[in-house]
Every structure is written in structure tokens, then in C-alpha cells.
Amino acid sequence: MKPSGKMFCVVMVLALMAGAALAQTADAPATGSTPSAAVASAPIPSSLGEAAAVVVVGDLSGLIDRAGVLMSQLAPGMDGMMLRSKIGSSFGDPTLAGMPAGSGLAVVVFPSGSAVFFSEVAPSQIEAYRDATLASGEQAEAVSGLLVSGDGPTELSIGKNIAEQVKGLLAAAASPTAEATIYPPRILAVHGPTIESGIVGMTSMMGAMAGAVGPAGATSQQNPAQLMEMYFRTYLSVVKQVETVALRLSLDSDIVKIEKTIKPVAASNLAQFLGAPVQADPGLAAMIPAQGALRGGFFLNPQATADFLVKEITDVTAQMQVDPAKRQSLIQFAKDSFAAKGSGGVMDMFVPGQASVMSGSSVYEVGDAAAYLDVMRNMEEKMRSAGLMDMAQQSGAQMTFEFKENVRQHAGVPVNLWTVKQEMPTGSTGSGSPAEQINQVLGFNNMVSEIAIVGSRGAITMGGMSVDSLVDAVQAGQNPQAAPIAARSIYGDDTRVMLDVRPAQIAQIVSQVTRGMTPADQPNPMDMVVMAMSSAQPIQAAARWNGSQIEGTLIVPFSTIASIGQAIMAVQMQMMMQSQAAAAGQQPAPAQPAPAQPAPAAPAEQPAPSAAPSEAP
């Protein structure tokens, strides 16, 4: 078994995080691409300063114990001892005695794709571990007190060159956490041309498909493939402005915590945006009800945001040689949109029990009420002029906007009605097609919002909900149904983005959707999921930033993971009962989820490490 397979159970969450971040830079689509000449001819690296990514686990044994507590929430019987046995058996050491408490491991990945593993193994066991690794077909050697391993001689040579540097990293990372540092500039220096050609190739293929399947008689000011290329190039432009991405995974006594720190390139467009002053939170969360599956908010500098987007659009469209008139329309749309907006907003979305899934409430700061209403009034024209309607039309959907002003008043405040309709094609798929059904179930076919401007704030409701009580709350400065957004506690007054994901409400929404798609004589399996998730705590995410870095944190309670495990078992039980009943020609009764058990206590907490992820050289 390869070293990467041996450590999979321990670092799988971190690998997903690191993989996603690397994919933004190193794995952009490039059909038929081959390694560049720069990769093929590159000398063997001799320093950590050449690495594309570095992953460090300071205390593997401690992390396994905590991961075992987490895994037991999803799969009873899966604990730290089982994980240790699964990993250690690869080395002929089922108890992993050769890596006692405090022993760590590191993985260093280079732009060429070479990955080298470093393990702190007890001197008495290092030869046995080496032999087991060699027997699996890997290269391995003891260097500087570490077991160095990799796919082949090249990886082993790299490992020998950097073993002392990695040893220093492991000595400094003694906590039961997993940390990764990713270096986009080093990745782009090698793979940048391949990524660029991949974007061009993919969007060219999309353009050819667009010409083949586009709706008959449709006219477009801008090729949808060109818009998609613009999006990809904008993402790539932002990645080029990132110096490092650091990730840190910790399993505390009752939560999974993932922290992310992004450092921008000095004086870049991104750094200037992050350094712009932001108005303090005006307490908008007290004005919205606590009903929805997603509750969150943001606080930005609207002028700095507009300046950032305009510069990115200008640079990318110039690079693509977009028609100047189209480029100006797109830039103007961005300017108009942010000129009307204030410094922040909060939302409570996807409210169970409403006629439409797309329901909820939001309160936003409004910078210029007249400009805001003008944007809403002319949304379709502005989006069409900017070419933003083309992708929807390319899929065959016809999207229309209608804005009716002052349809009524509440508490002396005019209430406006904004309707967005997305009609799916019926000519090719027929009435009642899956696309059309989903469109109707989710409410995309007729999204109605009520909008009221209350002083310098906008109150908006969606999905047929009345805006009246929200107007009252904005006028009073508080809502009797309000509750704090839990994620705000992560960074307090420094919060710039916050989000609570509420699993209980998500389960109710999904149940609401599946109920309409389940035959009347069959039980709705999601009803059991609703019961299992009823006490699940929210998943919290938040971010803050300044001119030098962005910090983000994601928190998942163990109790929520336990609820998810209960829901999975309930669905599996229902499926088994349905299968048995079908074989017997009977209708099964709904299965009941097993009572949730208290989450086992995690191993004793070690001294708290630094809150920010450490950065490898």
C-alpha cells in the first residue's frame, strides 16, 4: 500500500481541503494536455522553498484518537483503535507502537507532481517500517532520524535533500492538528500556460456546443462560452494575487474546526480591496427572524468592492479582446450595482413550510435609494446589455424580470413587487419534464419578492412572504423573532462574512421537496431525517480580513455529525424495510431513527496552539 493510502483515514479531511485549493490553481481543465517542458526538465528540488504544498501532522497518535471520536459519530464501532490498526497494519505494527504520542508526519508536494512522505518513527522500529514500505513497492530510507518514502528514486532523492528542513517543521508542530500550506505562485510558474490553454480549449468546446444546441431564432449579444471564459479568467486572476493559502484542521473536545489564512501578494488589487476600511456591524441581525436554513451576513466597503471588480473585469476583458461596447456595459453594470448598495446586509433564507423553497428575509444597507430602485427597475435591460442573460438563454430557459413600484403601503412605506420568472423549455423535453418539475418545485418559475426602502435600509422578502413585519422590525430596530447569528462569535466585531448552516431546517426543506415528488401511498424517507436532525446544532463559518491576510473559520459540532449518522442509519433502515415489504407485497411503516446518543468525550485537550495556521517556509 502506498504511504498516501496508509495515512488516508487520518488526513482525509485535510486532503479534501488541500485538494480543493490546489484544484483552483493546478488542476484547471486541460483536455489532452501533457506535462510541460518546464516540469520534464526541472532539476531535482533541494529546498522546501520549491514546494507547491506542505502538509504537517504534529502528533499523529493524538489526531488519530480525536478522529476516532469523530468517526464513531458516523459509524458506531469505528474508533481510534480501529483507525490505528488500519494504518499500522500497513507497517506490520497494528498498534502503531512505532509512532508513539508526539510523533508526526509530513507530506511535501512539488509542482512536478512528486510527493515525498516523512514519518517520525521510533529508532527501534524505523528499519521494520522501512522494510514494510519497500515491500509495498515504494522507495524508503531512514534519513536524519525520519523515514523518508515516495514513489520512486526521484522522490527519495528529494527527500534526502530536504529531510533536515522537514525535521525542523515537525519539531515545531507538536500538536494533534493537521496543517497545510499551499503556494499558488510556485504552481502557476510551472502549470500556468497549461491552465491558460485549458481554459481556452474548454470554452471553445462550449462555444461549439452552444452553436449546435442553442434555441432556434435566439439572438445573443455575447457568446455564453465567452462569459464562462471570463469567469474562469477572473478566478485565475485572483489566484495569481495570492501568495499563500494556509489550512489548519483541529478536532477539539466537541467540534471540528478548519481554519484558513490567505495572504495576498503585496500591493495587488486583492490586497488593496482587503485593506479598505469597513463600517462596523450596525446590528442588522436583530431585525431579521430566525426561521431559515441559512442565516448570515456580510460587511464590505462598497466602493472598494466596485473598484476591485471593475479592475478585474477591465483586465480580463482586455486580455480576451472583448468588444469595447460589451466591456463597457459589463463594467457599468458592476458600478451601478455597487453604487446603490451600502456597507452590509443580513439574510434568513430557505424557510420551511413556505409555498416556495426560495423563501426568506433580508435587510441591507442602501447607499442610494434612487439608484437602488433604478437598478431593480432596469435589471433585465442592464443584464442583457452586459451579456449576463445569455447563459440562461443558452440552456433554453427564458428569464424575465418585472418590477412594480408602490403596489401598496405599510406603515407609510411604499412596498414594491419584483418578480423573476424562469421558464424552462417544453418543446424539446415536453411538459412535465424533470427540468420543468424541479423548476416549479424550487419556485424558479415565479420568484416573487416584496421590497421596501425604510430610510437607508432595504427590507426584502421572497417566496410570497409579506414584507410588512420586516418593515416594522427595521423601523423598531429589532425583530421579536430574531436570534443571534452564531458564526459572528468567531471573530466578533472584526467579522466581515458570517454564515450559520442549520441542518434541522435543511432537512425540513428537503422533506418538503421530496414530499411533493413521493407517491401518496409511500412514506417520505426524509421525514425520518427530519426527526434525526431536529436537535442538530448549526454549522458556523466566518471570515475577517485586513490588508495583509484573510482569515476564515469553519466549525462543525460533533453533535451535528452524530445527528447526520443517525439520519443515515434511519434512511438505510427505511430502504431495507421497503425492500422487504416489496418482496412480501406489503406497505412498510416508516422506520424510526434510533435515539441520539451523547457524543463521546474527545481525548484531553492539549495546550492550545496558535489560532492562525503556521506557514511552512
Side-chain angles (χ1 to χ4, degrees):
M1 182 184 293
K2 294 178 182 293
S4 56
K6 298 168 186 173
M7 304 308 173
F8 175 76
C9 292
V10 181
V11 298
M12 59 181 178
V13 175
L14 182 66
L16 289 172
M17 294 158 43
L22 279 168
Q24 295 176 353
T25 54
D27 292 331
T31 303
S33 62
T34 56
S36 65
V39 172
S41 62
I44 293 177
S46 59
S47 167
L48 278 176
E50 301 170 68
V54 179
V55 180
V56 177
V57 177
D59 177 4
L60 178 61
S61 180
L63 187 61
I64 287 174
D65 288 337
R66 298 188 180 196
V69 175
L70 172 65
M71 292 298 294
S72 68
Q73 306 302 298
L74 288 172
M78 176 70 77
D79 55 15
M81 184 178 298
M82 182 173 292
L83 289 176
R84 186 175 279 104
S85 175
K86 187 176 182 64
I87 296 169
S89 60
S90 300
F91 299 104
D93 181 15
T95 63
L96 212 60
M99 297 187 71
S103 300
L105 66 87
V107 184
V108 183
V109 182
F110 290 86
S112 64
S114 293
V116 188
F117 292 76
F118 301 82
S119 305
E120 290 183 312
V121 181
S124 61
Q125 296 270 12
I126 198 165
E127 287 190 8
Y129 272 56
R130 181 202 60 196
D131 292 344
T133 304
L134 290 171
S136 72
E138 302 292 316
Q139 297 286 310
E141 187 171 330
V143 182
S144 299
L146 300 175
L147 178 65
V148 180
S149 58
D151 281 344
T154 298
E155 285 72 24
L156 198 59
S157 296
I158 296 173
K160 292 177 181 180
N161 289 342
I162 64 175
E164 282 294 334
Q165 298 172 60
V166 174
K167 189 174 183 178
L169 282 182
L170 288 168
S175 62
T177 61
E179 302 184 16
T181 306
I182 302 164
Y183 303 90
R186 300 175 189 173
I187 298 171
L188 292 172
V190 174
H191 297 284
T194 303
I195 295 172
E196 296 269 359
S197 62
I199 291 175
V200 172
M202 183 181 65
T203 53
S204 295
M205 182 174 62
M206 289 178 59
M209 293 174 61
V213 302
T219 60
S220 176
Q221 294 184 345
Q222 191 158 299
N223 189 333
Q226 188 180 58
L227 281 174
M228 188 60 70
E229 181 180 353
M230 192 182 305
Y231 293 145
F232 281 126
R233 288 191 179 277
T234 300
Y235 297 146
L236 180 58
S237 172
V238 174
V239 170
K240 288 179 179 179
Q241 299 172 59
V242 173
E243 195 71 49
T244 59
V245 178
L247 303 148
R248 181 171 181 270
L249 168 68
S250 58
L251 306 177
D252 297 333
S253 59
D254 58 356
I255 62 171
V256 178
K257 181 187 287 186
I258 299 175
E259 297 162 284
K260 184 175 183 177
T261 301
I262 299 174
K263 293 190 176 182
V265 174
S268 64
N269 188 32
L270 178 60
Q272 292 177 33
F273 163 72
L274 298 175
V278 178
Q279 179 182 326
D281 175 6
L284 298 180
M287 303 176 195
I288 58 170
Q291 301 172 327
L294 299 181
R295 304 189 73 240
F298 66 91
F299 308 99
L300 305 170
N301 182 314
Q303 185 59 56
T305 305
D307 291 344
F308 172 79
L309 289 176
V310 167
K311 186 176 189 311
E312 293 300 317
I313 293 170
T314 301
D315 292 349
V316 168
T317 53
Q319 180 183 8
M320 294 173 58
Q321 299 181 341
V322 172
D323 178 76
K326 296 176 184 176
R327 179 192 312 168
Q328 187 55 42
S329 294
L330 193 59
I331 291 172
Q332 192 61 49
F333 179 72
K335 288 181 176 179
D336 291 345
S337 297
F338 281 94
K341 295 181 179 178
S343 59
V346 293
M347 59 87 179
D348 179 85
M349 293 298 299
F350 307 110
V351 179
Q354 298 298 316
S356 171
V357 172
M358 298 296 295
S359 57
S361 308
S362 57
V363 175
Y364 293 91
E365 295 284 316
V366 175
D368 185 329
Y372 181 88
L373 291 174
D374 180 70
V375 170
M376 302 303 293
R377 187 183 302 120
N378 299 294
M379 179 66 74
E380 183 171 346
E381 178 185 342
K382 290 177 180 291
M383 290 185 66
R384 195 173 301 281
S385 176
L388 298 176
M389 299 285 287
D390 294 329
M391 280 191 290
Q393 290 181 341
Q394 182 56 47
S395 68
Q398 297 299 314
M399 185 176 290
T400 59
F401 299 84
E402 182 181 27
F403 188 66
K404 294 182 179 179
E405 298 185 61
N406 199 10
V407 296
R408 61 184 179 84
Q409 292 202 355
H410 175 76
V413 176
V415 175
N416 309 290
L417 200 64
W418 193 46
T419 304
V420 180
K421 293 185 177 182
Q422 177 175 285
E423 298 180 2
M424 299 302 293
T426 57
S428 58
T429 58
S431 179
S433 67
E436 188 177 1
Q437 289 181 17
I438 293 173
N439 197 50
Q440 293 176 356
V441 168
L442 297 181
F444 293 155
N445 60 323
N446 191 34
M447 294 182 286
V448 180
S449 300
E450 291 193 351
I451 302 173
I453 305 299
V454 187
S456 62
R457 288 169 179 153
I460 305 174
T461 54
M462 296 177 60
M465 298 174 64
S466 171
V467 79
D468 293 358
S469 61
L470 199 60
V471 169
D472 295 338
V474 174
Q475 289 180 330
Q478 58 183 1
N479 192 313
Q481 294 181 298
I485 296 174
R488 191 183 185 281
S489 64
I490 297 174
Y491 295 122
D493 291 341
D494 290 338
T495 301
R496 295 293 175 263
V497 178
M498 56 187 177
L499 178 67
D500 287 355
V501 179
R502 307 171 76 195
Q505 285 73 18
I506 290 176
Q508 293 174 38
I509 285 287
V510 176
S511 178
Q512 180 178 330
V513 172
T514 57
R515 188 176 298 115
M517 305 174 73
T518 302
D521 61 344
Q522 294 183 16
N524 181 6
M526 281 303 299
D527 288 344
M528 294 173 299
V529 175
V530 170
M531 294 175 62
M533 302 298 291
S534 60
S535 61
Q537 297 299 304
I539 298 169
Q540 304 170 35
R544 65 180 176 184
W545 57 75
N546 53 41
S548 61
Q549 65 182 24
I550 306 171
E551 296 176 65
T553 297
L554 174 69
I555 294 175
V556 183
F558 275 18
S559 61
T560 297
I561 296 172
S563 295
I564 294 172
Q566 291 289 327
I568 292 172
M569 286 190 291
V571 171
Q572 290 174 337
M573 185 182 301
Q574 179 66 43
M575 293 174 65
M576 181 180 66
M577 292 175 63
Q578 285 181 333
S579 177
Q580 293 174 346
Q586 300 174 353
Q587 178 63 38
Q592 300 296 318
Q597 300 296 320
E605 190 82 23
Q606 299 295 321
S610 170
S614 64
E615 183 177 327

mmCIF file of all heavy atoms in Angstrom, residues 395-428:
data_model
loop_
_atom_site.group_PDB
_atom_site.id
_atom_site.type_symbol
_atom_site.label_atom_id
_atom_site.label_comp_id
_atom_site.label_asym_id
_atom_site.label_seq_id
_atom_site.Cartn_x
_atom_site.Cartn_y
_atom_site.Cartn_z
ATOM 1 N N SER A 395 -29.259 27.662 -22.212
ATOM 2 C CA SER A 395 -29.791 26.407 -21.685
ATOM 3 C C SER A 395 -31.224 26.182 -22.129
ATOM 4 O O SER A 395 -31.805 25.127 -21.867
ATOM 5 C CB SER A 395 -29.734 26.420 -20.158
ATOM 6 O OG SER A 395 -30.652 27.381 -19.640
ATOM 7 N N GLY A 396 -31.799 27.164 -22.809
ATOM 8 C CA GLY A 396 -33.172 27.056 -23.263
ATOM 9 C C GLY A 396 -34.154 27.751 -22.349
ATOM 10 O O GLY A 396 -35.339 27.887 -22.665
ATOM 11 N N ALA A 397 -33.669 28.203 -21.160
ATOM 12 C CA ALA A 397 -34.550 28.888 -20.214
ATOM 13 C C ALA A 397 -34.751 30.336 -20.652
ATOM 14 O O ALA A 397 -33.829 30.983 -21.140
ATOM 15 C CB ALA A 397 -33.943 28.846 -18.818
ATOM 16 N N GLN A 398 -35.958 30.814 -20.465
ATOM 17 C CA GLN A 398 -36.264 32.219 -20.749
ATOM 18 C C GLN A 398 -36.492 32.919 -19.418
ATOM 19 O O GLN A 398 -37.419 32.592 -18.678
ATOM 20 C CB GLN A 398 -37.513 32.311 -21.633
ATOM 21 C CG GLN A 398 -37.345 31.677 -23.010
ATOM 22 C CD GLN A 398 -36.245 32.344 -23.825
ATOM 23 O OE1 GLN A 398 -36.151 33.566 -23.907
ATOM 24 N NE2 GLN A 398 -35.400 31.521 -24.439
ATOM 25 N N MET A 399 -35.641 33.884 -19.094
ATOM 26 C CA MET A 399 -35.724 34.575 -17.817
ATOM 27 C C MET A 399 -36.215 36.002 -18.044
ATOM 28 O O MET A 399 -35.732 36.705 -18.933
ATOM 29 C CB MET A 399 -34.353 34.596 -17.130
ATOM 30 C CG MET A 399 -34.369 35.201 -15.729
ATOM 31 S SD MET A 399 -32.741 35.101 -14.930
ATOM 32 C CE MET A 399 -32.626 33.334 -14.649
ATOM 33 N N THR A 400 -37.193 36.411 -17.227
ATOM 34 C CA THR A 400 -37.731 37.766 -17.334
ATOM 35 C C THR A 400 -37.809 38.389 -15.943
ATOM 36 O O THR A 400 -37.940 37.682 -14.931
ATOM 37 C CB THR A 400 -39.131 37.772 -17.967
ATOM 38 O OG1 THR A 400 -40.010 36.969 -17.169
ATOM 39 C CG2 THR A 400 -39.092 37.232 -19.383
ATOM 40 N N PHE A 401 -37.706 39.712 -15.892
ATOM 41 C CA PHE A 401 -37.798 40.466 -14.648
ATOM 42 C C PHE A 401 -38.944 41.479 -14.773
ATOM 43 O O PHE A 401 -39.112 42.099 -15.825
ATOM 44 C CB PHE A 401 -36.505 41.233 -14.372
ATOM 45 C CG PHE A 401 -35.285 40.348 -14.213
ATOM 46 C CD1 PHE A 401 -34.583 39.913 -15.324
ATOM 47 C CD2 PHE A 401 -34.847 39.956 -12.962
ATOM 48 C CE1 PHE A 401 -33.459 39.110 -15.191
ATOM 49 C CE2 PHE A 401 -33.731 39.153 -12.816
ATOM 50 C CZ PHE A 401 -33.036 38.728 -13.929
ATOM 51 N N GLU A 402 -39.698 41.645 -13.704
ATOM 52 C CA GLU A 402 -40.761 42.646 -13.696
ATOM 53 C C GLU A 402 -40.733 43.372 -12.350
ATOM 54 O O GLU A 402 -40.740 42.729 -11.293
ATOM 55 C CB GLU A 402 -42.129 41.988 -13.898
ATOM 56 C CG GLU A 402 -43.275 42.999 -13.954
ATOM 57 C CD GLU A 402 -44.625 42.328 -14.124
ATOM 58 O OE1 GLU A 402 -44.762 41.158 -13.708
ATOM 59 O OE2 GLU A 402 -45.536 42.975 -14.658
ATOM 60 N N PHE A 403 -40.686 44.686 -12.404
ATOM 61 C CA PHE A 403 -40.623 45.494 -11.184
ATOM 62 C C PHE A 403 -41.821 46.440 -11.153
ATOM 63 O O PHE A 403 -41.973 47.299 -12.021
ATOM 64 C CB PHE A 403 -39.317 46.297 -11.146
ATOM 65 C CG PHE A 403 -39.086 47.020 -9.839
ATOM 66 C CD1 PHE A 403 -38.874 46.314 -8.668
ATOM 67 C CD2 PHE A 403 -39.078 48.407 -9.792
ATOM 68 C CE1 PHE A 403 -38.652 46.980 -7.465
ATOM 69 C CE2 PHE A 403 -38.863 49.078 -8.592
ATOM 70 C CZ PHE A 403 -38.639 48.354 -7.433
ATOM 71 N N LYS A 404 -42.666 46.248 -10.149
ATOM 72 C CA LYS A 404 -43.840 47.114 -9.983
ATOM 73 C C LYS A 404 -43.631 47.967 -8.739
ATOM 74 O O LYS A 404 -43.429 47.442 -7.644
ATOM 75 C CB LYS A 404 -45.107 46.275 -9.838
ATOM 76 C CG LYS A 404 -45.481 45.489 -11.088
ATOM 77 C CD LYS A 404 -46.784 44.712 -10.877
ATOM 78 C CE LYS A 404 -47.176 43.946 -12.128
ATOM 79 N NZ LYS A 404 -48.439 43.174 -11.923
ATOM 80 N N GLU A 405 -43.724 49.265 -8.929
ATOM 81 C CA GLU A 405 -43.440 50.186 -7.834
ATOM 82 C C GLU A 405 -44.704 50.591 -7.083
ATOM 83 O O GLU A 405 -45.772 50.775 -7.667
ATOM 84 C CB GLU A 405 -42.732 51.438 -8.372
ATOM 85 C CG GLU A 405 -41.386 51.139 -9.008
ATOM 86 C CD GLU A 405 -40.641 52.395 -9.434
ATOM 87 O OE1 GLU A 405 -40.343 53.226 -8.550
ATOM 88 O OE2 GLU A 405 -40.367 52.547 -10.637
ATOM 89 N N ASN A 406 -44.540 50.697 -5.764
ATOM 90 C CA ASN A 406 -45.581 51.224 -4.882
ATOM 91 C C ASN A 406 -46.932 50.524 -5.107
ATOM 92 O O ASN A 406 -47.960 51.168 -5.301
ATOM 93 C CB ASN A 406 -45.717 52.735 -5.081
ATOM 94 C CG ASN A 406 -46.424 53.410 -3.910
ATOM 95 O OD1 ASN A 406 -46.646 52.794 -2.862
ATOM 96 N ND2 ASN A 406 -46.783 54.663 -4.098
ATOM 97 N N VAL A 407 -46.912 49.186 -5.068
ATOM 98 C CA VAL A 407 -48.160 48.445 -5.263
ATOM 99 C C VAL A 407 -49.079 48.584 -4.062
ATOM 100 O O VAL A 407 -50.296 48.391 -4.151
ATOM 101 C CB VAL A 407 -47.881 46.953 -5.544
ATOM 102 C CG1 VAL A 407 -47.120 46.790 -6.851
ATOM 103 C CG2 VAL A 407 -47.088 46.314 -4.401
ATOM 104 N N ARG A 408 -48.487 48.886 -2.902
ATOM 105 C CA ARG A 408 -49.255 49.179 -1.694
ATOM 106 C C ARG A 408 -48.318 49.851 -0.697
ATOM 107 O O ARG A 408 -47.127 50.037 -0.990
ATOM 108 C CB ARG A 408 -49.840 47.894 -1.094
ATOM 109 C CG ARG A 408 -48.817 46.854 -0.677
ATOM 110 C CD ARG A 408 -49.490 45.579 -0.182
ATOM 111 N NE ARG A 408 -48.506 44.555 0.200
ATOM 112 C CZ ARG A 408 -47.905 44.493 1.393
ATOM 113 N NH1 ARG A 408 -48.200 45.410 2.322
ATOM 114 N NH2 ARG A 408 -47.028 43.540 1.657
ATOM 115 N N GLN A 409 -48.848 50.192 0.469
ATOM 116 C CA GLN A 409 -48.028 50.812 1.501
ATOM 117 C C GLN A 409 -48.255 50.116 2.830
ATOM 118 O O GLN A 409 -49.338 49.592 3.104
ATOM 119 C CB GLN A 409 -48.337 52.307 1.626
ATOM 120 C CG GLN A 409 -47.904 53.135 0.427
ATOM 121 C CD GLN A 409 -47.712 54.597 0.765
ATOM 122 O OE1 GLN A 409 -47.983 55.039 1.878
ATOM 123 N NE2 GLN A 409 -47.230 55.356 -0.219
ATOM 124 N N HIS A 410 -47.214 50.143 3.651
ATOM 125 C CA HIS A 410 -47.329 49.626 5.009
ATOM 126 C C HIS A 410 -46.574 50.568 5.946
ATOM 127 O O HIS A 410 -45.397 50.866 5.710
ATOM 128 C CB HIS A 410 -46.744 48.218 5.127
ATOM 129 C CG HIS A 410 -46.737 47.712 6.542
ATOM 130 N ND1 HIS A 410 -47.884 47.262 7.168
ATOM 131 C CD2 HIS A 410 -45.732 47.605 7.474
ATOM 132 C CE1 HIS A 410 -47.593 46.901 8.399
ATOM 133 N NE2 HIS A 410 -46.295 47.094 8.612
ATOM 134 N N ALA A 411 -47.254 51.021 6.962
ATOM 135 C CA ALA A 411 -46.661 51.947 7.942
ATOM 136 C C ALA A 411 -46.046 53.154 7.246
ATOM 137 O O ALA A 411 -44.995 53.652 7.662
ATOM 138 C CB ALA A 411 -45.619 51.216 8.789
ATOM 139 N N GLY A 412 -46.706 53.605 6.169
ATOM 140 C CA GLY A 412 -46.237 54.777 5.450
ATOM 141 C C GLY A 412 -45.075 54.512 4.517
ATOM 142 O O GLY A 412 -44.508 55.451 3.955
ATOM 143 N N VAL A 413 -44.725 53.250 4.327
ATOM 144 C CA VAL A 413 -43.576 52.890 3.474
ATOM 145 C C VAL A 413 -44.099 52.217 2.207
ATOM 146 O O VAL A 413 -44.848 51.236 2.289
ATOM 147 C CB VAL A 413 -42.622 51.932 4.215
ATOM 148 C CG1 VAL A 413 -41.484 51.495 3.295
ATOM 149 C CG2 VAL A 413 -42.069 52.591 5.475
ATOM 150 N N PRO A 414 -43.700 52.693 1.021
ATOM 151 C CA PRO A 414 -44.121 52.045 -0.231
ATOM 152 C C PRO A 414 -43.543 50.632 -0.330
ATOM 153 O O PRO A 414 -42.374 50.393 -0.004
ATOM 154 C CB PRO A 414 -43.540 52.951 -1.321
ATOM 155 C CG PRO A 414 -43.305 54.261 -0.653
ATOM 156 C CD PRO A 414 -42.953 53.945 0.762
ATOM 157 N N VAL A 415 -44.386 49.699 -0.775
ATOM 158 C CA VAL A 415 -43.948 48.317 -0.987
ATOM 159 C C VAL A 415 -43.921 48.056 -2.485
ATOM 160 O O VAL A 415 -44.906 48.283 -3.190
ATOM 161 C CB VAL A 415 -44.900 47.324 -0.295
ATOM 162 C CG1 VAL A 415 -44.500 45.882 -0.627
ATOM 163 C CG2 VAL A 415 -44.895 47.547 1.211
ATOM 164 N N ASN A 416 -42.768 47.596 -2.976
ATOM 165 C CA ASN A 416 -42.573 47.307 -4.389
ATOM 166 C C ASN A 416 -42.578 45.796 -4.609
ATOM 167 O O ASN A 416 -42.182 45.021 -3.725
ATOM 168 C CB ASN A 416 -41.251 47.896 -4.878
ATOM 169 C CG ASN A 416 -41.104 49.361 -4.497
ATOM 170 O OD1 ASN A 416 -41.790 50.223 -5.029
ATOM 171 N ND2 ASN A 416 -40.201 49.660 -3.554
ATOM 172 N N LEU A 417 -42.970 45.383 -5.785
ATOM 173 C CA LEU A 417 -43.058 43.968 -6.114
ATOM 174 C C LEU A 417 -42.078 43.654 -7.253
ATOM 175 O O LEU A 417 -42.127 44.289 -8.315
ATOM 176 C CB LEU A 417 -44.483 43.624 -6.542
ATOM 177 C CG LEU A 417 -44.897 42.147 -6.483
ATOM 178 C CD1 LEU A 417 -44.883 41.648 -5.044
ATOM 179 C CD2 LEU A 417 -46.290 41.974 -7.084
ATOM 180 N N TRP A 418 -41.192 42.685 -7.007
ATOM 181 C CA TRP A 418 -40.198 42.288 -8.007
ATOM 182 C C TRP A 418 -40.397 40.814 -8.317
ATOM 183 O O TRP A 418 -40.350 39.969 -7.430
ATOM 184 C CB TRP A 418 -38.784 42.528 -7.481
ATOM 185 C CG TRP A 418 -37.716 42.445 -8.532
ATOM 186 C CD1 TRP A 418 -37.713 43.011 -9.766
ATOM 187 C CD2 TRP A 418 -36.457 41.762 -8.416
ATOM 188 N NE1 TRP A 418 -36.544 42.739 -10.430
ATOM 189 C CE2 TRP A 418 -35.752 41.965 -9.626
ATOM 190 C CE3 TRP A 418 -35.856 41.007 -7.418
ATOM 191 C CZ2 TRP A 418 -34.492 41.438 -9.861
ATOM 192 C CZ3 TRP A 418 -34.586 40.486 -7.647
ATOM 193 C CH2 TRP A 418 -33.919 40.702 -8.858
ATOM 194 N N THR A 419 -40.647 40.500 -9.576
ATOM 195 C CA THR A 419 -40.917 39.124 -9.986
ATOM 196 C C THR A 419 -39.875 38.660 -10.995
ATOM 197 O O THR A 419 -39.617 39.341 -11.992
ATOM 198 C CB THR A 419 -42.319 39.003 -10.615
ATOM 199 O OG1 THR A 419 -43.293 39.488 -9.686
ATOM 200 C CG2 THR A 419 -42.632 37.558 -10.959
ATOM 201 N N VAL A 420 -39.294 37.515 -10.720
ATOM 202 C CA VAL A 420 -38.338 36.890 -11.630
ATOM 203 C C VAL A 420 -38.949 35.572 -12.082
ATOM 204 O O VAL A 420 -39.303 34.723 -11.258
ATOM 205 C CB VAL A 420 -36.984 36.639 -10.960
ATOM 206 C CG1 VAL A 420 -36.016 35.990 -11.956
ATOM 207 C CG2 VAL A 420 -36.400 37.927 -10.410
ATOM 208 N N LYS A 421 -39.070 35.391 -13.377
ATOM 209 C CA LYS A 421 -39.627 34.162 -13.935
ATOM 210 C C LYS A 421 -38.588 33.479 -14.813
ATOM 211 O O LYS A 421 -37.976 34.119 -15.671
ATOM 212 C CB LYS A 421 -40.883 34.451 -14.748
ATOM 213 C CG LYS A 421 -42.058 34.939 -13.913
ATOM 214 C CD LYS A 421 -43.320 35.084 -14.757
ATOM 215 C CE LYS A 421 -44.499 35.508 -13.898
ATOM 216 N NZ LYS A 421 -45.747 35.612 -14.688
ATOM 217 N N GLN A 422 -38.404 32.202 -14.559
ATOM 218 C CA GLN A 422 -37.510 31.396 -15.399
ATOM 219 C C GLN A 422 -38.337 30.260 -15.971
ATOM 220 O O GLN A 422 -38.714 29.335 -15.257
ATOM 221 C CB GLN A 422 -36.340 30.853 -14.590
ATOM 222 C CG GLN A 422 -35.411 29.948 -15.392
ATOM 223 C CD GLN A 422 -34.206 29.515 -14.603
ATOM 224 O OE1 GLN A 422 -33.283 30.292 -14.381
ATOM 225 N NE2 GLN A 422 -34.195 28.265 -14.162
ATOM 226 N N GLU A 423 -38.625 30.336 -17.246
ATOM 227 C CA GLU A 423 -39.448 29.331 -17.907
ATOM 228 C C GLU A 423 -38.550 28.349 -18.639
ATOM 229 O O GLU A 423 -37.773 28.734 -19.512
ATOM 230 C CB GLU A 423 -40.420 30.000 -18.876
ATOM 231 C CG GLU A 423 -41.406 30.947 -18.181
ATOM 232 C CD GLU A 423 -42.364 31.609 -19.153
ATOM 233 O OE1 GLU A 423 -42.268 31.286 -20.360
ATOM 234 O OE2 GLU A 423 -43.174 32.442 -18.715
ATOM 235 N N MET A 424 -38.671 27.078 -18.261
ATOM 236 C CA MET A 424 -37.872 26.041 -18.895
ATOM 237 C C MET A 424 -38.516 25.642 -20.221
ATOM 238 O O MET A 424 -39.736 25.746 -20.395
ATOM 239 C CB MET A 424 -37.770 24.819 -17.986
ATOM 240 C CG MET A 424 -37.099 25.108 -16.656
ATOM 241 S SD MET A 424 -35.429 25.779 -16.826
ATOM 242 C CE MET A 424 -34.573 24.361 -17.525
ATOM 243 N N PRO A 425 -37.709 25.172 -21.175
ATOM 244 C CA PRO A 425 -38.252 24.790 -22.488
ATOM 245 C C PRO A 425 -39.152 23.568 -22.382
ATOM 246 O O PRO A 425 -38.900 22.663 -21.603
ATOM 247 C CB PRO A 425 -36.997 24.485 -23.307
ATOM 248 C CG PRO A 425 -35.983 24.065 -22.290
ATOM 249 C CD PRO A 425 -36.266 24.921 -21.078
ATOM 250 N N THR A 426 -40.205 23.555 -23.148
ATOM 251 C CA THR A 426 -41.090 22.384 -23.191
ATOM 252 C C THR A 426 -41.098 21.747 -24.576
ATOM 253 O O THR A 426 -41.552 20.623 -24.739
ATOM 254 C CB THR A 426 -42.541 22.782 -22.829
ATOM 255 O OG1 THR A 426 -42.978 23.809 -23.733
ATOM 256 C CG2 THR A 426 -42.613 23.294 -21.407
ATOM 257 N N GLY A 427 -40.570 22.472 -25.589
ATOM 258 C CA GLY A 427 -40.600 21.959 -26.957
ATOM 259 C C GLY A 427 -39.769 20.703 -27.125
ATOM 260 O O GLY A 427 -40.179 19.752 -27.779
ATOM 261 N N SER A 428 -38.578 20.655 -26.466
ATOM 262 C CA SER A 428 -37.683 19.516 -26.658
ATOM 263 C C SER A 428 -37.902 18.431 -25.610
ATOM 264 O O SER A 428 -37.738 17.252 -25.893
ATOM 265 C CB SER A 428 -36.227 19.989 -26.612
ATOM 266 O OG SER A 428 -35.970 20.633 -25.372
#
